Amino acid sequence: FLSLVAEFCCGFFVILILGNFWFLAVLYLLWLYIDWETPCTGGRRSQWVRSWTVWKYFREYFPIQLIKTSDLSPNHNYLLGFHPHGVLVAGAFGNFCTGPSFKNLFPGLTPYLHIMPIWFGCPFFREYIMSAGMVSASKESVSYVLNNEGGGHASIIVIGGAEESLNAHPGSLTLNILKRKGFIKMALKHGAHLVPVFSFGENELFKQVANPKGSWLRNVQEKLQKIMGFALPLFHARGVFQYSFGLIPYRQPIHTVVGSPIPVKQNLNPTTEEIEELHALYLQKLRKLFEEHKRNYGIPEHKSLIFE
């Protein structure tokens, strides 16, 4: 989804260069050079963009809903781990980059959705995603957000990343998380409280071509992901006037459940053992969050999360 919009923006930039407006392209490149670090220093959000009416229709299409299970004090900074990635990451975008839901449920907190740094190199597209409240997922960017001394900042990181999107099949509950411990280290270094977030329905929006691990397709996708930095799942859903085939996501409800915070004491130089211990606790709390709410959102009793 992001890649399609990014391609459009890049195409528009190429038209400026090849057309009679090359001087505008040169001016923009100068601006890009001057503004290069902004995605790593809190971005440049626009409440006007975040409040566009189109986002209201976007949220209502599925629909998307944010569920609160515990208060989050604005006196602290938080690192929210979002699961699963899915294909569209609709729950993360709809709840943390558009509309008033997060602000109403968690007053005093400002959400920052961290995405891959590669997207901020795309002309014009970078301005749009920053205006929606997205910032880079680099260490520098996460540190900048969590360094707010007065608290009130919430970093949202899609823990499974691009690799996890290759598991985004309807009914899939597989999370790429066992080797992902960088977010744990960041939380410890900044004393940011950890909050598990599970988005029920995220994997139901598209059907993906079968790509079991070890298959030729999965091997190609994984190699491309390592080269380009983002995955290329082969997916389809419905069309505008028919439900058989197309790229419009299915209308499946998405319930993004925000769990209770795990208090984290600041530790500038955490040991491997301390990181492992907090990581294990996070997995425990994430699994508990899923088990407590799965019945409400159509998950069979016998199904549980699979950590890889």
Side-chain angles (χ1 to χ4, degrees):
F1 176 72
L2 282 177
S3 61
L4 291 176
V5 181
E7 286 174 11
F8 173 82
C9 292
C10 288
F12 178 70
F13 185 70
V14 171
I15 291 174
L16 289 181
I17 294 175
L18 299 179
N20 295 325
F21 302 97
W22 58 267
F23 61 95
L24 293 178
V26 172
L27 288 176
Y28 184 80
L29 285 175
L30 177 61
W31 163 253
L32 198 62
Y33 175 78
I34 296 172
D35 195 57
W36 189 255
E37 295 299 323
T38 301
C40 294
T41 54
R44 186 171 47 250
R45 71 182 55 221
S46 165
Q47 191 55 42
W48 174 67
V49 172
R50 290 167 60 88
S51 302
W52 280 351
T53 303
V54 67
W55 303 135
K56 176 177 179 290
Y57 294 125
F58 172 80
R59 294 190 303 275
E60 292 178 350
Y61 171 80
F62 298 98
I64 297 174
Q65 184 179 2
L66 187 66
I67 292 93
K68 171 183 175 179
T69 64
S70 176
D71 289 332
L72 298 181
S73 170
N75 296 323
H76 302 291
N77 293 318
Y78 299 88
L79 196 159
L80 279 63
F82 183 92
H83 313 269
H85 184 287
V87 172
L88 190 60
V89 205
F93 178 75
N95 287 309
F96 304 121
C97 295
T98 74
S101 294
F102 187 86
K103 181 179 180 181
N104 292 341
L105 292 177
F106 304 103
L109 285 184
T110 301
Y112 296 83
L113 179 59
H114 296 270
I115 64 174
M116 294 173 58
I118 189 174
W119 297 119
F120 296 97
C122 180
F124 301 117
F125 181 66
R126 70 189 296 274
E127 317 303 334
Y128 157 67
I129 55 180
M130 277 197 289
S131 65
M134 299 185 212
V135 292
S136 172
S138 67
K139 292 180 181 179
E140 296 78 12
S141 177
V142 177
S143 291
Y144 183 91
V145 173
L146 297 181
N147 254 345
N148 190 39
E149 293 184 0
H153 281 189
S155 280
I156 298 96
I157 301 177
V158 184
I159 304 299
E163 183 182 356
E164 193 173 86
S165 68
L166 300 178
N167 290 328
H169 296 271
S172 173
L173 295 172
T174 301
L175 304 180
N176 291 66
I177 191 171
L178 291 182
K179 295 181 180 179
R180 299 187 179 252
K181 301 171 184 176
F183 74 103
I184 298 291
K185 187 174 182 179
M186 293 298 292
L188 282 166
K189 291 182 72 173
H190 296 282
H193 294 193
L194 281 167
V195 182
V197 178
F198 196 88
S199 195
F200 292 89
E202 200 74 46
N203 284 340
E204 316 305 314
L205 306 185
F206 295 93
K207 292 179 179 178
Q208 191 172 167
V209 175
N211 60 343
K213 288 195 173 182
S215 65
W216 70 268
L217 176 57
R218 186 59 169 258
N219 290 336
V220 170
Q221 289 175 319
E222 289 176 347
K223 288 180 181 178
L224 289 175
Q225 189 259 324
K226 290 178 181 178
I227 294 172
M228 299 184 299
F230 57 89
L232 291 173
L234 299 180
F235 59 88
H236 68 87
R238 54 163 290 187
V240 178
F241 302 109
Q242 45 78 30
Y243 291 83
S244 301
F245 189 83
L247 294 179
I248 298 176
Y250 293 115
R251 297 192 72 176
Q252 296 289 338
I254 298 172
H255 297 92
T256 304
V257 184
V258 180
S260 301
I262 303 170
V264 177
K265 186 177 180 181
Q266 187 173 23
N267 184 347
L268 296 178
N269 296 291
T271 64
T272 302
E273 291 74 19
E274 290 169 330
I275 293 173
E276 292 283 353
E277 182 180 352
L278 184 55
H279 186 260
L281 177 60
Y282 179 85
L283 294 183
Q284 177 186 332
K285 295 295 186 180
L286 174 59
R287 188 181 295 279
K288 181 181 178 183
L289 177 70
F290 173 81
E291 292 295 332
E292 287 179 347
H293 294 273
K294 67 180 184 181
R295 301 171 193 81
N296 299 331
Y297 307 116
I299 306 295
E301 185 67 33
H302 67 278
K303 289 223 171 186
S304 296
L305 293 179
I306 299 173
F307 296 147
E308 289 187 348

